[in-house]
């Protein structure tokens, strides 16, 4: 158990819909990262927040957005969902270089 | 630019050694190594920073040749618990800090 929690574990929705994935970092960790993992694209870095501010951006689509709240939890919003958005979404947190991954949210878009 | 990992897959007997390579066409600031077991989240193994510093983690060590933009992960006296997929993530000098680009992974299977 890494100490990072993600909800929900599984999410099944339809194309065109919008969903929100939630992440609670380890106690004391200021950085939160979001990753997408699919069979096609492999593991892809989406975005990083540090203490509420966006720190780094990867291959995040414009339909996706994220934020980190004052209590340091983070949410990833995915809108206008497409079949290709089906994937495992991981959140990770860190206080230094080492990142601790949560168990992931499996998103299925039908 | 996605780094290239080699080999794509390797099968070992317990106690054997293995080397996994990660190569980029871009100048790198750092290389991160992760292991992911089937159905689980990736687990951080180590980070190599620009400067060629070699880091170790039990019987797993790594090196970083910044001139060649290459990193290698060395697994010695492999154990069954080493089985999984190993990913390298690279941070490019000219990319945004913190933006990790991952290779496609190397699947390692350790047999008794």
């Amino acid at each position: 158990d890494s100490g990072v929690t993600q909800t929900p574990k599984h999410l099944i929705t339809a194309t065109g819909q919008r969903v929100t994935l939630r992440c609670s970092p380890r106690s004391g960790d200021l950085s939160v990262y979001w990753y997408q993992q699919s069979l096609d694209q492999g593991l892809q870095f989406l975005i990083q927040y540090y203490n509420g501010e966006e720190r780094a951006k990867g291959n995040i689509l414009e339909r996706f957005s994220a934020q980190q709240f004052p209590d340091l939890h983070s949410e990833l919003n995915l809108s206008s969902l497409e079949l290709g958005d089906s994937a495992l979404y991981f959140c990770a947190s860190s206080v230094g270089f080492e990142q601790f991954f949560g168990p992931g949210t499996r998103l299925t878009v039908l | 630019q996605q780094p290239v990992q080699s080999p794509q897959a390797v099968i070992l007997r317990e106690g054997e050694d293995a080397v996994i390579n990660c190569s980029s066409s871009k100048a790198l600031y750092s290389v991160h190594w992760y292991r992911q077991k089937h159905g689980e989240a990736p687990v951080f193994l180590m980070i190599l920073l620009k400067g060629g510093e070699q880091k170790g983690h039990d019987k797993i060590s790594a090196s970083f040749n910044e001139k060649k933009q290459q990193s290698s992960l060395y697994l010695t006296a492999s154990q069954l618990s080493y089985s999984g997929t190993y990913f390298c993530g690279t941070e490019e000098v000219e990319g945004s800090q913190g933006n990790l680009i991952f290779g496609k992974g190397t699947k390692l299977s350790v047999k008794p």
Side-chain angles (χ1 to χ4, degrees), chain A residues 19-35:
Chain A
V19 296
T20 297
L21 312 184
R22 183 187 167 102
C23 169
S24 292
R26 294 187 323 152
S27 177
D29 286 359
L30 299 179
S31 280
V32 169
Y33 307 77
W34 285 98
Y35 295 89

Side-chain angles (χ1 to χ4, degrees), chain A residues 39 42 52 63 73 100 102:
Chain A
L39 286 174
R63 299 184 285 110
H73 92 271
F100 296 86

Side-chain angles (χ1 to χ4, degrees), chain B residues 1 7 13 25 41 43 52 54 60 64-65 68-69 82 87:
Chain B
Q1 192 79 15
R13 291 282 179 196
S25 60
V43 172
Q54 188 163 351
I60 300 175
F64 177 26
N65 185 327
K68 292 185 178 180
Q69 293 104 246
Y82 286 5
F87 293 96

Side-chain angles (χ1 to χ4, degrees), chain A residues 35 37 43 45 48 55-58 90 97-99 101-102, chain B residues 34 36 40-42 44 47 49 87 96-100 102:
Chain A
Y35 295 89
Q37 187 172 37
L43 188 59
F45 166 72
Q48 178 200 359
R55 174 68 70 88
K57 217 167 184 176
F90 288 109
F97 289 118
E98 183 169 357
Q99 295 186 27
F101 279 70
Chain B
Y34 291 82
Q36 185 177 28
E40 298 180 9
F44 176 87
I47 178 174
L49 298 173
F87 293 96
S96 58
Q97 189 179 5
N99 183 357
L100 280 184
F102 289 90

Side-chain angles (χ1 to χ4, degrees), chain A residues 48-68:
Chain A
Q48 178 200 359
Y49 278 84
Y50 178 84
N51 203 20
E53 300 288 327
E54 183 184 303
R55 174 68 70 88
K57 217 167 184 176
N59 292 328
I60 187 165
L61 299 171
E62 283 191 16
R63 299 184 285 110
F64 296 1
S65 64
Q67 53 184 326
Q68 185 179 27

